[in-house]
Amino acid sequence: NLGDIDSCIQDLIDLTEDYKQLEATHKDYTVQLEQLSELQTKCVKNLSHQRYRLGIIKSTLKKYSVTVLIKPKDESEKEKFELLNKDLMRRQAQLNEMEESLPKKSGTYLKIILGSVNVSFLNKQERFKYKDDYEKFKLALSAIAMGLSVTNLIANLRILDLAFVFLMVWYYCTLTIRESILRVNGSRIKGWWRAHHFISTALSAVLLTWPDSTTYHLFRHQLMWFYVYISFVQYLQFRYQQGCLYRLKALGERHDMDITIEGFHSWMWRGLSFLLPFLYLGYFYQLYNAWALYQLSFHPGSEWQIPVLSFLFLILFLGNTLTTSMVIPQKLRD
Amino acid sequence: NLGDIDSCIQDLIDLTEDYKQLEATHKDYTVQLEQLSELQTKCVKNLSHQRYRLGIIKSTLKKYSVTVLIKPKDESEKEKFELLNKDLMRRQAQLNEMEESLPKKSGTYLKIILGSVNVSFLNKQERFKYKDDYEKFKLALSAIAMGLSVTNLIANLRILDLAFVFLMVWYYCTLTIRESILRVNGSRIKGWWRAHHFISTALSAVLLTWPDSTTYHLFRHQLMWFYVYISFVQYLQFRYQQGCLYRLKALGERHDMDITIEGFHSWMWRGLSFLLPFLYLGYFYQLYNAWALYQLSFHPGSEWQIPVLSFLFLILFLGNTLTTSMVIPQKLRD
Ligand SMILES: CC(C)(COP(=O)(O)OP(=O)(O)OC[C@H]1O[C@@H](n2cnc3c(N)ncnc32)[C@H](O)[C@@H]1OP(=O)(O)O)[C@@H](O)C(=O)NCCC(=O)NCCS
Ligand SMILES: CC(C)(COP(=O)(O)OP(=O)(O)OC[C@H]1O[C@@H](n2cnc3c(N)ncnc32)[C@H](O)[C@@H]1OP(=O)(O)O)[C@@H](O)C(=O)NCCC(=O)NCCS
């Protein structure tokens, strides 16, 4: 018994050796942490100063750009002008690259939801992992939504309907948070897709308040089929986005750029042209929902939810169609 | 004109000086960032190893604790045993302190909502600021809730009712996120208060689905008064929590501990005994809601929401009363 206590004491003494080392490492760490935060503040400050002064130069140049380009006094003026512009562009690209390893500020929405917590990643791998997670999260929730909406088509339980719609509120709300984090970390996700998820949250919230009435039952089947279809499209989208993500990552790691960028583009166009018909079909389904709800709003037992939902579906149809249609010419230009 | 371009060029050349410096600082920064992340990983690994081995020693000791303490072979055995225990406690406290400046892992809930983003603060000031923000956020939303519920008592617009309830869903949901972040950063907030906010989210969601029926109108007034009262209690709570927070901060910064800790305790008890009657009144209001809803569930037009809400209010009453009542003896012991 006493022997056991002695062996415990011996163990603790052994551990103390390791602990001493850990203490030293930790001391080093805290000192460096302090230094790093100073360097960071300095970089952020100087960078924003550079940005500010570049901005002034650019706006001065802009004022003269029309006269210089249309009727330059001489060739040398035009040349100088173009050279200067190129220099400015290069400098700005350099600053952008620097910014990648510096913390970025959250937008208002994130500040309200999360408070002043720093959500920026300081390196590429973490950023990649985050995006990858985001896509997988969407896929997992689409699978669940598919399962629930099929169940709802077979069964007809009010409570299950509500659980499904509440899941949708939660899902779209979570998406807006994750997308804001992606945005802070430099994703070029278009404003519309984020707006889309805000509108979808609102739409689901309105659905949640729609009572269990005759009109609801007239629309219920169409709604559940819509979610089945959307979940399926989500799966196709996942395949496409995941493909882009991994190929772009591989591109960034290898350096034989010429061949692979072409490879990437051809893959992307194939993926896109496979995906687009399914997307447009989905958008027409949204238009069809808007139309059906519009018709339903003349039903004698119509609730206020019906015209509101009709309007929201119409907005979704318009926004999606416009945004997706604009992506194609934009990608052709790049 | 040409002169302007020349002066722009001169400006850019001047800027380049600064830029070179920034580049050097940034280079330093990235090197240090890399080093820091290595040190960090090392600390985290060694720390968890220390924890693991301390755990083994502790569990070995525990096996013998009964025999040693009740019928020790001799005094020296008991002494050794107690000394060892003290050493273990001290070591654990040291490890805890070290952990404060290391990143902590998020729990499952945060991982699902936010994905793998790191939400831990590495220093006290940031942690303090975050908590301060959290309290102010609650206050601001209580004020809005108060305004809306008073408006709802005067006006009687279905859409405003729903907007209010939807705000509550969003508010409680946001609280659960912020509280999870606080928890990651070492707040000792009790499990019940977090559960309380999850249950309140569910309760509001159920309220959202309650149709605009006779029974709803029978209960509506009482509900809005409840929220008016709760918002008022929130304000009192804010004063108390904010007082604790700032006093504890001041305590941590000064070092004449003996006087101020006593001062803090006397302040805390005064604050608490002012607050408690209002809290218990709120809890009885919850019980009263549960009771009124239970009665209402026998109404001919009763919906499924009514017994569910009654049950949820009952749970809130029980959990709040128990937890708050347990806080008092616990604080007396400290
Ligand atoms: C049309 C589409 C395939 C083009 O995708 P793309 O090739 O990635 O488009 P872009 O090059 O403009 O993408 C820019 C960024 O936005 C992201 N993005 C594009 N569409 C997105 C969407 N719908 N949701 C989230 N992120 C999106 C991309 O991943 C990319 O991110 P990155 O900067 O971090 O790499 C895509 O926008 C899409 O799938 N849209 C359909 C969405 C939809 O309609 N949903 C409703 C279902 S009916
Ligand atoms: C009873 C009460 C006043 C005690 O507060 P306290 O003195 O801070 O209690 P503790 O010492 O146990 O607090 C431990 C931690 O939990 C936090 N905490 C306590 N109650 C909390 C609550 N209701 N919400 C959020 N955080 C809370 C404290 O701020 C403290 O945080 P820290 O570790 O970051 O410093 C407090 O729990 C309270 O206000 N409860 C009532 C809440 C309520 O009933 N709400 C419904 C309205 S009817």
Side-chain angles (χ1 to χ4, degrees), chain A residues 6 80 112 114 130 178, chain B residues 6 29 80 112 114 130 178:
Chain A
D6 281 338
K80 260 189 189 172
I112 290 177
L114 299 183
Y130 193 74
R178 287 198 182 211
Chain B
D6 280 337
Y29 167 74
K80 260 190 188 170
I112 290 177
L114 300 182
Y130 192 75
R178 287 199 182 210

Side-chain angles (χ1 to χ4, degrees), chain A residues 1 4 6 16 19 26 29 40 50 64 80 91 94 98 101 111-114 130 178 304, chain B residues 1 4 6 15-16 19 26 29 40 50 64 80 91 94 98 101 111-114 130 162 178:
Chain A
N1 212 341
D4 284 314
D6 281 338
T16 304
Y19 175 74
H26 186 262
Y29 167 73
Q40 204 173 53
Q50 287 271 332
Y64 302 110
K80 260 189 189 172
R91 181 63 53 83
Q94 287 166 325
M98 264 187 199
S101 53
K111 274 214 186 110
I112 290 177
I113 302 255
L114 299 183
Y130 193 74
R178 287 198 182 211
W304 63 266
Chain B
N1 213 343
D4 283 316
D6 280 337
L15 253 189
T16 304
Y19 175 74
H26 187 262
Y29 167 74
Q40 204 172 54
Q50 286 270 331
Y64 301 110
K80 260 190 188 170
R91 181 62 53 82
Q94 287 167 327
M98 266 187 197
S101 53
K111 275 215 186 108
I112 290 177
I113 302 255
L114 300 182
Y130 192 75
L162 288 175
R178 287 199 182 210

Side-chain angles (χ1 to χ4, degrees), chain A residues 213-216 218 293-303 306:
Chain A
S213 59
T214 321
T215 44
Y216 175 73
L218 285 173
L293 285 162
Y294 174 73
Q295 295 285 340
L296 208 58
S297 69
F298 297 107
H299 191 279
S302 168
E303 291 94 354
I306 297 175

Side-chain angles (χ1 to χ4, degrees), chain B residues 257-275:
Chain B
M257 294 289 268
D258 302 281
I259 322 164
T260 36
I261 272 206
E262 270 193 9
F264 172 71
H265 272 142
S266 100
W267 181 88
M268 186 194 75
W269 283 110
R270 254 185 305 143
L272 212 51
S273 42
F274 178 74
L275 184 59

Side-chain angles (χ1 to χ4, degrees), chain B residues 125-276:
Chain B
Q125 296 93 285
E126 282 187 334
R127 225 170 280 143
F128 171 80
K129 187 166 169 291
Y130 192 75
K131 176 89 184 203
D132 192 40
D133 264 11
Y134 161 78
E135 298 291 347
K136 283 179 182 145
F137 171 75
K138 288 210 287 186
L139 184 69
L141 268 122
S142 297
I144 298 175
M146 170 82 94
L148 271 176
S149 41
V150 168
T151 315
N152 281 334
L153 280 171
I154 301 165
N156 188 349
L157 276 171
R158 176 69 177 159
I159 193 94
L160 222 61
D161 275 30
L162 288 175
F164 171 69
V165 175
F166 191 68
L167 181 74
M168 289 292 105
V169 177
W170 178 84
Y171 166 62
Y172 284 118
C173 195
T174 307
L175 277 194
T176 62
I177 300 178
R178 287 199 182 210
E179 278 157 9
S180 303
I181 296 178
L182 283 171
R183 189 60 166 261
V184 169
N185 287 291
S187 170
R188 285 151 305 124
I189 171 172
K190 290 198 175 48
W192 167 255
W193 301 123
R194 292 177 66 216
H196 177 282
H197 296 142
F198 278 105
I199 298 172
S200 301
T201 312
L203 193 150
S204 317
V206 174
L207 270 178
L208 204 57
T209 68
W210 194 354
D212 196 15
S213 59
T214 321
T215 46
Y216 176 74
H217 280 274
L218 285 173
F219 187 63
R220 185 176 170 276
H221 237 69
Q222 175 171 345
L223 185 73
M224 291 302 163
W225 274 114
F226 174 68
Y227 281 114
V228 170
Y229 182 71
I230 287 295
S231 306
F232 165 67
V233 172
Q234 273 292 342
Y235 166 71
L236 296 182
Q237 242 174 285
F238 170 79
R239 298 258 320 246
Y240 170 75
Q241 292 286 2
Q242 206 68 349
C244 282
L245 189 63
Y246 278 83
R247 278 179 179 75
L248 279 176
K249 193 189 175 212
L251 262 185
E253 278 165 6
R254 279 195 250 156
H255 288 285
D256 45 332
M257 294 289 268
D258 302 281
I259 322 164
T260 36
I261 272 206
E262 270 193 9
F264 172 71
H265 272 142
S266 100
W267 181 88
M268 186 194 75
W269 283 110
R270 254 185 305 143
L272 212 51
S273 42
F274 178 74
L275 184 59
L276 283 177

Side-chain angles (χ1 to χ4, degrees), chain A residues 247-306:
Chain A
R247 277 178 180 76
L248 279 175
K249 193 190 176 208
L251 263 183
E253 279 165 3
R254 280 196 248 157
H255 289 283
D256 44 334
M257 295 288 267
D258 301 278
I259 321 165
T260 37
I261 273 207
E262 273 195 4
F264 172 71
H265 272 143
S266 99
W267 181 87
M268 187 194 74
W269 282 112
R270 254 184 305 142
L272 212 52
S273 41
F274 178 74
L275 184 59
L276 284 176
F278 290 101
L279 287 179
Y280 280 110
L281 201 63
Y283 303 157
F284 278 104
Y285 205 143
Q286 288 170 338
L287 183 63
Y288 172 55
N289 284 343
W291 170 249
L293 285 162
Y294 174 73
Q295 295 285 340
L296 208 58
S297 69
F298 297 107
H299 191 279
S302 168
E303 291 94 354
W304 63 266
Q305 283 90 349
I306 297 175

